Amino acid sequence: MKPGIKFCLCLFFYIFCHQGFSQENETKIYLWENGAPGFENRKNEPEQAQDWWVRNIHNPSITAYFPEKPNGMAVLICPGGGHENLVFNSEGKDAAVYLNSIGITAFVLKYRLARTKDSPYKLETHVKQDAERAMRIIRSRAAEFKIDANRIGAMGFSAGGEVVALIAYNSNNVLKNTTDEIDKTDSQPNFQILIYPGPLFIPKEIKADAPPAFLLAANDDSCCSAPIIELLNGYRKANVPVEMHLYSKGGHAFNMGKRAKTNSLKTWPQRLADWFEDNNYFVK
């Protein structure tokens, strides 16, 4: 066989196997079989996606990313985008890939957008419903996903931090008058990770049953550095475990550090891995 042909065949099989591996470890799961309650007629409207954003989400879903060596942990990731867009790749998929690298099963939420033009959705109703349903699906299928139902966290970037706040502070959050077994599952995360979170839905008082928190932002972020300070003070007062990292500069939307200009922000995900290890989240 000629060297050139041999090289092309090897390249083809590498690409084929790589694509197969990616598809096997990435699965999209719609939150409701027949579409979002009350909006079933919009189920089949196609999403719009370009460059960094996804829009026109009417059939909310989670995309599951499975690690090669799962440690039993899972995290629901809520990307930001100001509730007008969804920053799916850099605040969703990139986070999932990193979490997979340390053994964590990740689920990226595509929630409905409440601030797009003529949106029929409301944050405290429909977006909250999406986040709750996502957590319930993950927890109710824990055995199938090979995860521990008591080690499921929620991670939010910017507006996604507001989505996490909608489910984090309401303990034992189950729907009682329902025939859907999924909705009888608790939707509160066991821990939360907030990266430059938006200011909405932070409770005035943190209760003792709030999930432990990892908080991170840049001090020069005029939008979203103050919320983590407010949360820190609330957590300390309630004596609930919390860790905060406030970097001197970096602005907003540095994502998983790929866009960061400072060395400290480029390596911030390692601080999260340290937090997991120091607090025994990796222990089965």
Side-chain angles (χ1 to χ4, degrees):
M1 183 181 293
K2 293 183 179 180
I5 297 175
K6 185 176 181 180
F7 171 77
C8 289
L9 285 173
C10 290
L11 181 61
F12 169 79
F13 283 115
Y14 169 77
I15 293 173
F16 176 80
C17 293
H18 179 72
Q19 286 179 336
F21 177 82
S22 298
Q23 291 171 355
E24 181 181 345
N25 287 272
E26 181 178 326
T27 304
K28 188 171 186 178
I29 303 165
Y30 289 103
L31 301 188
W32 289 276
E33 182 179 356
N34 297 318
F39 296 91
E40 290 86 352
N41 62 328
R42 308 198 71 169
K43 171 185 174 182
N44 295 321
E45 291 187 31
E47 296 173 357
Q48 299 172 357
Q50 184 177 338
D51 300 327
W52 58 271
W53 54 262
V54 177
R55 299 174 190 158
N56 208 51
I57 299 165
H58 300 289
N59 194 10
S61 63
I62 48 175
T63 302
Y65 296 84
F66 298 101
E68 290 185 37
K69 298 179 180 180
N71 60 24
M73 289 178 63
V75 171
L76 173 67
I77 303 168
C78 302
H83 303 291
E84 294 181 322
N85 307 284
L86 210 62
V87 188
F88 186 84
N89 288 329
S90 54
E91 291 183 353
K93 187 173 182 177
D94 286 355
V97 169
Y98 176 76
L99 292 174
N100 280 180
S101 75
I102 55 176
I104 300 172
T105 303
F107 301 84
V108 183
L109 175 63
K110 284 184 177 178
Y111 54 90
R112 287 170 284 179
L113 300 171
R115 290 182 179 162
T116 55
K117 185 180 180 182
D118 299 324
S119 173
Y121 308 121
K122 297 189 181 300
L123 293 173
E124 294 179 80
T125 303
H126 306 103
V127 177
K128 181 174 184 285
Q129 185 181 41
D130 294 348
E132 288 175 335
R133 179 73 175 187
M135 282 295 299
R136 288 172 177 144
I137 287 175
I138 295 167
R139 186 166 278 129
S140 67
R141 297 172 64 177
E144 174 188 343
F145 295 140
K146 298 179 180 180
I147 58 177
D148 182 346
N150 296 311
R151 287 192 293 149
I152 303 174
M155 180 179 193
F157 294 80
S158 192
E162 297 173 335
V163 178
V164 172
L166 287 167
I167 62 173
Y169 306 110
N170 187 3
S171 63
N172 194 26
N173 188 2
V174 299
L175 296 181
K176 297 179 180 179
N177 298 319
T178 177
T179 58
D180 190 332
E181 290 300 317
I182 292 175
D183 286 335
K184 297 177 183 178
T185 307
D186 190 358
S187 68
Q188 186 186 39
N190 298 108
F191 57 87
Q192 61 173 331
I193 304 152
L194 302 180
I195 312 302
Y196 46 84
L200 296 180
F201 312 122
I202 296 175
K204 294 181 179 179
E205 178 185 2
I206 299 295
K207 297 180 181 179
D209 58 3
F214 177 92
L215 313 171
L216 186 143
N219 190 50
D220 60 355
D221 183 347
S222 59
C223 156
C224 301
S225 58
I228 69 168
I229 298 173
E230 185 178 346
L231 281 167
L232 174 68
N233 290 330
Y235 266 76
R236 293 181 67 188
K237 188 175 181 180
N239 197 29
V240 178
V242 62
E243 180 167 317
M244 187 186 84
H245 296 266
L246 184 64
Y247 293 91
S248 61
K249 56 184 177 180
H252 191 67
F254 46 78
N255 311 136
M256 292 298 292
K258 292 183 178 181
R259 298 178 58 194
K261 297 180 180 179
T262 61
N263 291 328
S264 57
L265 283 179
K266 287 178 182 178
T267 59
W268 81 255
Q270 183 58 47
R271 306 290 76 75
L272 177 60
D274 294 340
W275 182 70
F276 285 141
E277 186 168 4
D278 291 344
N279 290 276
N280 298 319
Y281 283 112
F282 289 146
V283 178
K284 294 184 179 180

